[in-house]
Amino acid sequence: MRRNLVTAAITLALCAATLQASAQTPAEVSRKASPPAVRATTQLPRNVVPSHYAIEVTPHADKLAFDGKVVIDIDVLEPTSTITLQAVNLTIAKSMLTGKSRKALLPKVSLEEPSQTATFTFDAPLAAGRYALAIDYTGVINTQANGLFAIDYDTEAGKKRALYTQFEAPDARRFVPSWDEPNLKATFDLTVNAPSADMVVSNMPQTASKHLGNGMKRVVFATSPKMSTYLLFLAVGDFERATDTVDGTEVGVVATRGKVGQAAGALEASKLVLAEYNDYFGVKYPLPKLDNVAAPGGSQFFSAMENWGAILSFEYILLVDPKISTIGNVQGIFSVAAHEIAHQWFGNLVTMSWWDDVWLNEGFATWMAARATEKFHPEWNTRLDAVGGRESAMNRDAVATTHPVVQQVQTVEQLGQAFDAITYSKGGAVIRMLENYVGEDAWREGVRAYMKKHAYGNTVSADLWSAVQSAAGKPIQDIARDFTTQPGIPLITVESATCSGGNTTLQLSQGEFTKDRPGKVPLHWRVPVVAATAGGVRVDTVVENGKGTLQVPGCGAVVVNAGQAGYYRTVYDRAQFAAIGRDFAKLDPIDQLGIMNDTWALGMAGLRPASDYLGLAKGVSIDADPAIWDDIAGTLGSINGYLAGNDAAQARFQAYARGVLQPVFAKVGWNGKADDSAPVQLLRTTLIGALAGLGDEAIIAEARRRFAANDDASLPPALRSLVTGIVANKADAATWDRLHAMARAEKTPLIKNQLYNLLGIAEDKALGQRALDLALTDEPGATNSAAMIGAVAGQHPDMAFDFAVVHRADVEKLVDASSQARYYPGIGGGSSDRAMIGKLRAFAEAHIPASARNATETAIANIEYRLKVKQERMPAIEAWLQQQGK
């Protein structure tokens, strides 16, 4: 699954410098107004297990309901008078159990909402053996992305409705009574009764289609391989499909009618990636087809889902619209395809035994996608993105509310919070570090052995470490356990660097980096450390028991974590840091990025002067790698946000920051050139957005001029969304009304959804209120409204939070259930008002189960950190600026 990491990702991309960095994905609150009862564990009894499901479903899209029948082949492992499985929002009409005797047993059925289970009770104990459990039931078609759900979308011919399924994490139980847990795998037969004109898509190819009369048909799909319930998929709608073949597998893209051509890039990416993974994993993709399905709308929880053989992505992730798509969209399409196709092995073929190890799915797919993107598109220079991914993890991992990569998941509410930056970004970063430690070839051989041994089965993290260690002949199990079973970030301190005989000897110590616990007794890790002088040979060691020594060829500035594969921060003394500053231009850009990010984080945590980052940035050449300037622009935007409320200081800083960025922008300019590289194209949009956020009147005026002109020369696809976003952010009432009229009139769902999101990003508080009011109407669409509220929270978190609390009964209908317990902390978490801490705690105590309050506590920790930075770090920034003026 590709998590939707921000409330309105497109909004943040358009005006990154103007939005508060902590506006994270909102999530749905508990559906009960009163304090919820303690939830039972979601794990079922293990005395009965399924082996096969034969499902027949008839959706009634107009009624938002469906009829279902299922026959489940089960094995009773020991005598029992009850069979318990999972079911949510299903009504069971009748059920029957048959065994070898063929005598029908009619159980009593009880549904338990808190535990999300259905229990079938028999008059006498069942003997161990094989049975068939037949169930007739009805269910609900949801309007948010849980279970079977509907998406309404605009076309030139009017509104249409399509149906899709989303079962991860625990939502197959909303579609079929089932053993809805990852280690209870089974095979599936699916039959669907649907309108004759509609296309029906599932994991496997169709084997039969028969007209039933009355405008209906029955579609039968081939039997699936043995798989977990969360990977089952169904889509029904007015679709088109395009296909090609790779290594004997039919690769396809599916989109609503008229859009399949916009998925050509996804099809090409899938072909490249599938062939590459067939080779890398040493196990050929086992299904006969692999579709990428594009759905209008969106979700607060995810942007793409790896259903086996039928990956679901929202249109903004999968399609290229010629009016608004940029090189960033093209890169995103490839990256998502690479991520989700990696899951076809890591997650689908081999699945974690329980959600504690969901990182085995997500961390590996994150790492694999980065590897594939770098291989096939070296011109994008995405290898530098590894630093940004690591920073995403460290920002989460440095506060007290972090958790280990391997985490304990007991309840449904906890599971909804398991998909976070630790699972994805830290998981991927740890894999990158371990691969760097053992070597690419040994790592691949270990992965191949793991795949072959555990195909169609379930594993825990130790199974992967064992396979890699055996292949590498190099100990990694202890290192891997240190980084995955305990939380936090190692801090490597260079105690001394002594040059003698042409070599530099480093004395290293290991502590722990934290943003909110100064003086904390550090945990201990076995840390693989790599170091090199500028342009020199890299050497490595493992720092154990808190100490280490490393001899590096050459003298001069030494970079610890050379190549930036390590998951740790590095701190140097003043002399070492000064030497790095002098040789900064000689360093590999990835090391420049890593050092700058460490310097910023250490400064904000009080472990270095807060101004050190600005000192480094001051010496960066205008011709430096675009990624360096992208990082500088982002950090200047962060400082600008921290200074909000201190008008005089903020004005001085904005003038300084504009002076830093304007020469770089003068070089790249508004208008792209035919030979612009992808990094330069991305830097152009970053700089325009950053300068607009820093109050550059010339940039803002030019954006308004281009928006008013509304021609191809003024608004090429690379700039249309960005310019519209700046205008929306700086909008007055008349401009907001114009944007609103554009959103209402737009017939292309991808553009329409974007416009409604942009209505939420106005700096003007009154316009933010208008966006909040609009979000509670039917106009934006059922899956857009929650994102609109989140977009307002990016500018006005306190107002958005208070509004959502007052209208909780309406707001909770707008958010998918998998986002429970994250939505309100996500909205309020961007606040810089200490009063928000009390509001968040009060809301959580009233409406969020105690086991699922980590998102709330994390939001609170980030608010406290933000306030600390404003009070304790910004004065040093102001003093540095005044010194520069002198």
Side-chain angles (χ1 to χ4, degrees):
M1 179 185 291
R2 189 62 169 253
R3 258 286 310 281
N4 193 1
L5 294 177
V6 291
T7 301
I10 193 165
T11 299
L12 293 181
L14 298 177
C15 293
T18 67
L19 300 184
Q20 298 192 37
S22 58
Q24 297 295 314
T25 306
E28 186 178 5
V29 297
S30 171
R31 293 187 179 277
K32 294 191 174 184
S34 57
V38 175
R39 302 290 181 142
T41 176
T42 57
Q43 297 190 56
L44 293 168
R46 292 301 190 255
N47 58 343
V48 180
V49 295
S51 60
H52 180 73
Y53 295 83
I55 304 168
E56 180 178 346
V57 63
T58 305
H60 306 291
D62 57 333
K63 300 177 182 177
L64 291 177
F66 67 93
D67 302 322
K69 297 180 180 180
V70 62
V71 178
I72 312 173
D73 294 337
I74 60 174
D75 290 302
V76 175
L77 303 180
E78 59 187 36
T80 180
S81 58
T82 61
I83 296 174
T84 299
L85 46 68
Q86 278 134 340
V88 179
N89 290 344
L90 300 178
T91 300
I92 295 177
K94 62 179 180 179
S95 60
M96 179 176 68
L97 185 77
T98 55
K100 287 183 178 180
S101 68
R102 300 295 179 183
K103 179 182 178 182
L105 300 177
L106 304 179
K108 297 177 182 177
V109 183
S110 60
L111 297 170
E112 295 293 333
E113 182 181 352
S115 60
Q116 301 188 351
T117 57
T119 298
F120 300 80
T121 303
F122 300 88
D123 293 335
L126 304 172
R130 178 154 293 188
Y131 296 84
L133 177 62
I135 306 169
D136 290 3
Y137 61 98
T138 58
V140 174
I141 298 176
N142 298 293
T143 57
Q144 302 299 326
N146 298 103
L148 179 62
F149 67 97
I151 294 284
D152 292 338
Y153 61 98
D154 288 292
T155 72
E156 293 295 339
K159 287 274 189 183
K160 289 195 175 183
R161 174 170 289 176
L163 304 180
Y164 306 90
T165 58
Q166 165 60 15
F167 294 157
E168 190 180 34
D171 285 322
R173 64 193 68 178
R174 298 176 184 272
F175 180 74
V176 59
S178 54
W179 279 260
D180 189 21
E181 297 180 357
N183 58 352
L184 293 171
K185 291 188 171 184
T187 54
F188 293 82
D189 283 326
L190 180 63
T191 298
V192 183
N193 301 316
S196 298
D198 283 352
M199 182 183 291
V200 186
V201 182
S202 188
N203 309 79
M204 300 294 288
Q206 294 183 16
T207 59
S209 181
K210 177 183 178 181
H211 287 285
L212 302 176
N214 297 320
M216 296 291 288
K217 64 182 176 182
R218 175 170 294 149
V219 179
V220 180
F221 293 94
T223 303
S224 78
K226 187 179 179 183
M227 66 184 191
S228 302
T229 48
Y230 76 89
L231 298 172
L232 185 64
F233 179 74
L234 170 64
V236 181
D238 184 19
F239 304 146
E240 292 179 315
R241 184 170 183 254
T243 65
D244 207 332
T245 302
V246 174
D247 292 346
T249 300
E250 184 178 80
V251 181
V253 288
V254 179
T256 57
R257 186 167 299 279
K259 301 287 183 61
V260 74
Q262 295 178 28
L267 182 59
E268 289 304 308
S270 298
K271 289 162 54 181
L272 281 174
V273 170
L274 185 63
E276 167 69 10
Y277 290 176
N278 278 339
D279 174 67
Y280 185 88
F281 288 115
V283 175
K284 187 176 179 293
Y285 175 76
L287 276 66
K289 66 99 174 173
L290 174 59
D291 281 322
N292 279 278
V293 182
S299 163
Q300 297 305 295
F301 184 59
F302 75 105
S303 57
M305 173 61 204
E306 67 269 16
N307 313 293
W308 213 356
I311 297 165
L312 175 66
S313 301
F314 289 106
E315 287 182 349
Y316 68 88
I317 289 294
L318 197 68
L319 302 186
V320 171
D321 189 293
K323 295 181 181 178
I324 62 171
S325 293
T326 68
I327 185 62
N329 297 125
V330 173
Q331 291 180 353
I333 288 168
F334 191 95
S335 176
V336 171
H339 182 105
E340 302 305 331
I341 295 174
H343 278 311
Q344 307 302 300
W345 284 265
F346 253 90
N348 300 6
L349 181 63
V350 180
T351 312
M352 71 271 148
S353 288
W354 186 245
W355 299 105
D356 292 14
D357 283 294
V358 69
W359 88 275
L360 279 174
N361 291 9
E362 302 302 347
F364 201 95
T366 298
W367 170 80
M368 198 73 181
R371 177 189 176 279
T373 304
E374 184 179 338
K375 176 176 181 176
F376 287 110
H377 288 286
E379 75 279 10
W380 292 347
N381 203 20
T382 54
R383 73 185 188 95
L384 303 187
D385 294 346
V387 176
R390 186 182 67 198
E391 287 304 303
S392 172
M394 287 185 171
N395 285 337
R396 175 72 179 85
D397 210 14
V399 295
T401 58
T402 188
H403 60 81
V405 170
V406 178
Q407 57 193 304
Q408 186 177 27
V409 176
Q410 292 183 318
T411 67
V412 169
E413 292 84 2
Q414 285 179 331
L415 178 51
Q417 297 186 88
F419 296 83
D420 65 1
I422 301 299
T423 297
Y424 286 75
S425 299
K426 183 175 181 178
V430 168
I431 288 173
R432 182 169 178 263
M433 178 177 67
L434 294 173
E435 183 209 27
N436 186 68
Y437 176 65
V438 303
E440 292 183 8
D441 293 341
W443 178 264
R444 184 184 63 245
E445 290 308 309
V447 168
R448 286 178 171 179
Y450 170 85
M451 282 292 157
K452 289 175 182 177
K453 181 176 181 179
H454 299 289
Y456 303 101
N458 298 85
T459 62
V460 295
S461 296
D463 296 318
L464 177 60
W465 309 143
S466 176
V468 173
Q469 181 160 298
S470 295
K474 192 172 184 179
I476 71 157
Q477 293 192 51
D478 290 340
I479 297 171
R481 278 195 295 267
D482 285 351
F483 279 89
T484 58
T485 62
Q486 61 184 6
I489 306 164
L491 177 66
I492 298 297
T493 298
V494 183
E495 301 286 357
S496 65
T498 305
C499 182
S500 176
N503 295 310
T504 299
T505 301
L506 303 178
Q507 297 296 332
L508 308 173
S509 65
Q510 179 252 299
E512 183 175 353
F513 174 78
T514 173
K515 296 196 296 188
D516 58 357
R517 290 154 293 165
K520 177 185 182 295
V521 176
L523 299 173
H524 286 285
W525 292 263
R526 279 153 279 213
V527 185
V529 173
V530 180
T533 55
V537 177
R538 295 177 184 176
V539 294
D540 66 278
T541 189
V542 176
V543 174
E544 298 186 68
N545 300 315
K547 296 288 183 182
T549 301
L550 185 60
Q551 190 174 81
V552 182
C555 294
V558 177
V559 176
V560 175
N561 202 6
Q564 303 303 307
Y567 187 80
Y568 54 87
R569 294 211 182 276
T570 305
V571 62
Y572 305 90
D573 67 20
R574 294 305 301 176
Q576 296 157 9
F577 186 76
I580 288 173
R582 289 191 295 271
D583 285 349
F584 195 71
K586 300 177 184 178
L587 303 181
D588 187 318
I590 198 168
D591 288 326
Q592 292 178 334
L593 268 182
I595 290 168
M596 293 186 79
N597 278 274
D598 275 349
T599 301
W600 172 249
L602 293 165
M604 293 300 97
L607 300 177
R608 295 205 63 83
S611 59
D612 273 1
Y613 181 95
L614 294 176
L616 274 181
K618 184 180 178 182
V620 171
S621 165
I622 195 173
D623 297 317
D625 191 286
I628 306 300
W629 281 110
D630 189 281
D631 187 82
I632 292 171
T635 302
L636 295 177
S638 295
I639 295 172
N640 186 45
Y642 284 126
L643 290 172
N646 185 346
D647 294 344
Q650 188 178 48
R652 287 193 297 272
F653 173 76
Q654 287 181 346
Y656 170 80
R658 291 194 299 268
V660 171
L661 298 181
Q662 283 167 343
V664 187
F665 179 66
K667 181 181 177 182
V668 299
W670 274 92
N671 298 314
K673 305 174 185 65
D675 60 350
D676 280 346
S677 66
V680 167
Q681 293 177 59
L682 293 171
L683 178 61
R684 175 178 293 111
T685 57
T686 295
L687 291 173
I688 292 171
L691 285 166
L694 291 165
D696 190 312
E697 293 298 337
I699 291 285
I700 296 168
E702 178 63 7
R704 287 170 171 158
R705 185 197 69 76
R706 288 171 176 259
F707 180 75
N710 193 28
D711 54 46
D712 292 342
S714 300
L715 292 176
L719 294 179
R720 182 175 289 272
S721 294
L722 172 66
V723 166
T724 307
I726 292 171
V727 169
N729 181 247
K730 306 296 182 182
D732 57 16
T735 304
W736 196 93
D737 287 339
R738 180 182 173 187
L739 289 165
H740 187 194
M742 290 169 58
R744 285 199 305 264
E746 182 59 54
K747 298 301 182 185
T748 303
L750 189 61
I751 300 175
K752 188 182 191 75
N753 296 347
Q754 183 184 105
L755 287 169
Y756 275 108
N757 276 326
L758 294 181
L759 288 172
I761 70 169
E763 287 181 337
D764 187 298
K765 192 171 182 179
L767 297 179
Q769 183 62 56
R770 289 179 66 183
L772 291 174
D773 294 336
L774 179 61
L776 293 190
T777 71
D778 293 334
E779 182 186 317
T783 63
N784 290 329
S785 292
M788 283 187 68
I789 297 171
V792 176
Q795 292 294 313
H796 313 288
D798 303 275
M799 181 176 74
F801 180 86
D802 292 342
F803 176 87
V805 170
V806 169
H807 297 91
R808 191 172 69 85
D810 295 318
V811 170
E812 68 178 9
K813 300 172 185 176
L814 305 174
V815 185
D816 38 357
S818 297
S819 295
Q820 289 183 19
R822 285 203 311 263
Y823 188 73
Y824 281 82
I827 292 174
S831 175
S832 294
D833 185 346
R834 187 169 295 279
M836 179 58 71
I837 294 174
K839 292 180 182 180
L840 286 168
R841 287 212 168 106
F843 185 89
E845 290 171 4
H847 304 299
I848 299 176
S851 65
R853 294 178 187 167
N854 185 269
T856 300
E857 292 305 318
T858 299
I860 290 170
N862 283 329
I863 292 171
E864 290 175 334
Y865 171 73
R866 191 175 303 116
L867 293 171
K868 181 178 180 180
V869 167
K870 288 169 73 77
Q871 180 179 352
E872 298 181 10
R873 310 293 174 236
M874 287 303 104
I877 298 291
E878 294 179 60
W880 186 89
L881 288 172
Q882 291 173 352
Q883 185 63 37
Q884 300 310 299
K886 294 177 182 177

